[in-house]
Amino acid sequence: MMKFICVYVVILLASISLCHADGFKIKGKISGGGEGVKVFLTDLSQYRHFYDSTTIKNGEFEFNGKVESPEMRCITIYKNDSQRGEWKSTVKLPIFVDNSSMTLEAPYDSLPTKSSKTVPGCIKITGSPANDLYMKYDKGLEPLSTLNSTLFEKYRVAYYYAKADELGRKNMQPAYDALEELENCKDEIYRYKVKFIQENSDSPVALYVAGTLAITKYGRGEINKVLALLSEPLRNSPKGKALEKRLNSIPVYVGDQYLDIDMLDKEGNTVNLSDVINPGQYTLLEIWASWCGPCRGDIPHLKDAYSAYHAKGFDIVSVSIDANKEQWKKALEQEQMAWLQVCDKGEGFDGFIVKKYGISGVPSSFLIDPQGKIILTNARGGWLDTKLIELFEK
């Protein structure tokens, strides 16, 4: 009996070794088209990392490799190779890869693209426990993601196409109601993800999900709460440590003090942000550029907010990231904004304020309270309106 058990253990260990030591295999079986089309194994961004490429031959393709630990990757196909990145013709199929043998079965025309909201049910991926768990997570997230998109569109239409009465006054309440629903949905998405992490604390999928949390809204103290949900081995793994480092390195969380920075006024003199933010007032830090259409398009809204609330304790400081200072000055002449205008000492997205505040685009806005704490990081449109109403009208 003991001899039988020993032989069984040896066989079991050998099978585990074969499964994991030799890495992963992804076998694709594509029906209904795609013959000769190139297939790429990328990261989820589809541009930072291209791990491998192959071609569909006789309806099949194959990737082989090895990962140190299970991780998210993506099957990428450019159906229109001359327009790579075009949403409707770029296949984007997330796949959680571990060192196992995986099979993907899919009709070519049903492969999800960047514009797809969901992965069709006819797409079958088998062989990876990590991917099975990820697909379960994604399926549960799907209705919330769909609702989030629906509510954002509802808000967008109500806000930007609000009807005016006979006196020209727009009824913005439907937009604000839609925005409240949208924010509640975002909170529900956050709670769903946190619950998933908690229930799968030792899975690398939970670590991946933790990295997708929109955490800055909830304050810097949320970092340790999220990390504590992960098992100790996962938290102390290289990827767990990398996540901790990334979360802590995000420059701005709600509740943080604003970050001081040197800027230039219209005459080229150095101005500190701390010199122009008045204690006791609410200040909107507006980061923009003269060449940015949405920035210029939002100026009338900022003028309305400034006019309505400046006397009550609301101020704006606009910081341009224009590399061409003359173009910035020309825009100031055209727009005639009544509040303080300064410019970053750097140039464009290589400038100092972009790096200091960790922004990835303009316009970007931060609302600062009388004590110098950032209380809103997406201070635009209805988000700014409802916060100002809360602060000054209730």
Side-chain angles (χ1 to χ4, degrees):
M1 182 67 179
M2 183 61 69
K3 182 178 179 181
F4 173 78
I5 292 173
C6 290
V7 171
Y8 176 78
V9 169
V10 169
I11 293 172
L12 179 62
L13 290 174
S15 66
I16 292 173
S17 175
L18 285 172
C19 180
H20 294 280
D22 294 338
F24 66 82
K25 179 171 76 171
I26 303 173
K27 183 78 170 180
K29 298 180 179 181
I30 307 300
S31 59
E35 188 68 17
V37 171
K38 269 204 159 187
V39 185
F40 300 88
L41 186 62
T42 71
D43 70 328
L44 204 55
S45 75
Q46 297 187 298
Y47 66 86
R48 290 193 187 94
H49 297 290
F50 281 74
Y51 299 103
D52 202 352
S53 65
T54 187
T55 303
I56 299 175
K57 294 180 180 179
N58 299 318
E60 295 185 349
F61 68 86
E62 187 173 306
F63 289 119
N64 292 279
K66 188 173 184 179
V67 289
E68 292 298 320
S69 60
E71 63 182 49
M72 174 61 73
R73 293 198 178 176
C74 184
I75 301 293
T76 297
I77 298 175
Y78 304 107
K79 290 187 174 181
N80 184 349
D81 199 53
S82 65
Q83 292 185 326
R84 290 193 173 193
E86 199 277 324
W87 280 50
K88 290 184 178 180
S89 61
T90 300
V91 169
K92 182 177 184 179
L93 179 59
I95 182 168
F96 218 93
V97 174
D98 54 19
N99 290 323
S100 58
S101 183
M102 307 171 65
T103 300
L104 161 64
E105 297 178 87
Y108 184 71
D109 290 339
S110 296
L111 288 166
T113 66
K114 292 179 72 172
S115 61
S116 301
K117 301 295 183 184
T118 61
V119 176
C122 59
I123 308 293
K124 305 294 182 186
I125 303 175
T126 55
S128 164
N131 193 69
D132 289 345
L133 182 59
Y134 169 74
M135 286 167 49
K136 180 182 177 182
Y137 155 78
D138 193 53
K139 193 70 176 176
L141 183 62
E142 185 179 306
L144 289 172
S145 298
T146 301
L147 179 60
N148 185 74
S149 298
T150 300
L151 290 173
F152 179 78
E153 182 64 11
K154 181 181 177 181
Y155 157 75
R156 189 189 69 82
V157 171
Y159 188 84
Y160 291 103
Y161 299 96
K163 293 181 179 180
D165 62 17
E166 63 276 5
L167 298 177
R169 296 171 300 191
K170 290 184 177 180
N171 178 18
M172 303 305 296
Q173 195 56 49
Y176 300 155
D177 291 342
L179 184 59
E180 183 178 4
E181 289 183 87
L182 177 60
E183 286 301 297
N184 288 338
C185 180
K186 290 182 184 297
D187 288 339
E188 187 62 30
I189 288 172
Y190 190 86
R191 287 191 291 269
Y192 170 79
K193 291 184 175 184
V194 166
K195 184 180 179 184
F196 177 87
I197 296 167
Q198 197 168 23
E199 292 177 348
N200 301 277
S201 61
D202 59 350
S203 170
V205 182
L207 185 61
Y208 164 78
V209 172
T212 70
L213 287 170
I215 195 173
T216 57
K217 170 185 175 181
Y218 303 95
R220 196 170 290 275
E222 193 74 6
I223 298 173
N224 288 335
K225 293 179 184 178
V226 168
L227 293 174
L229 298 174
L230 299 167
S231 68
E232 188 174 347
L234 202 59
R235 195 165 60 246
N236 292 325
S237 69
K239 287 181 179 177
K241 289 295 184 183
L243 174 64
E244 181 179 11
K245 182 179 179 180
R246 182 174 68 79
L247 293 178
N248 279 300
S249 66
I250 295 173
V252 175
Y253 282 76
V254 168
D256 285 357
Q257 288 290 125
Y258 75 85
L259 305 170
D260 201 8
I261 191 168
D262 294 341
M263 305 166 294
L264 298 174
D265 64 16
K266 287 181 284 187
E267 287 71 42
N269 301 311
T270 295
V271 179
N272 290 328
L273 186 58
S274 56
D275 294 334
V276 297
I277 290 186
N278 298 316
Q281 285 191 318
Y282 290 91
T283 304
L284 180 69
L285 178 63
E286 170 79 1
I287 305 171
W288 72 296
S290 65
W291 42 260
C292 166
C295 301
R296 301 289 289 266
D298 203 38
I299 289 174
H301 170 243
L302 294 180
K303 288 181 177 179
D304 289 343
Y306 186 80
S307 175
Y309 298 109
H310 179 59
K312 297 180 180 182
F314 172 65
D315 205 358
I316 303 176
V317 175
S318 286
V319 183
S320 167
I321 65 168
D322 278 273
N324 187 326
K325 309 307 181 192
E326 293 307 313
Q327 287 296 320
W328 166 56
K329 293 176 183 178
K330 182 180 178 182
L332 296 185
E333 287 296 322
Q334 293 169 338
E335 299 292 355
Q336 291 295 304
M337 292 172 277
W339 54 90
L340 181 67
Q341 303 292 323
V342 291
C343 194
D344 185 44
K345 283 186 173 182
E347 297 186 353
F349 287 103
D350 291 323
F352 299 106
I353 197 165
V354 168
K355 295 174 182 176
K356 190 116 181 179
Y357 278 79
I359 66 172
S360 57
V362 287
S364 288
S365 305
F366 303 86
L367 187 61
I368 301 167
D369 77 1
Q371 289 73 47
K373 287 188 176 181
I374 294 170
I375 58 173
L376 189 63
T377 56
N378 182 33
R380 310 205 58 76
W383 284 270
L384 177 62
D385 291 352
T386 52
K387 180 57 76 171
L388 292 177
I389 290 169
E390 174 191 323
L391 294 172
F392 295 112
E393 295 185 18
K394 291 184 178 180

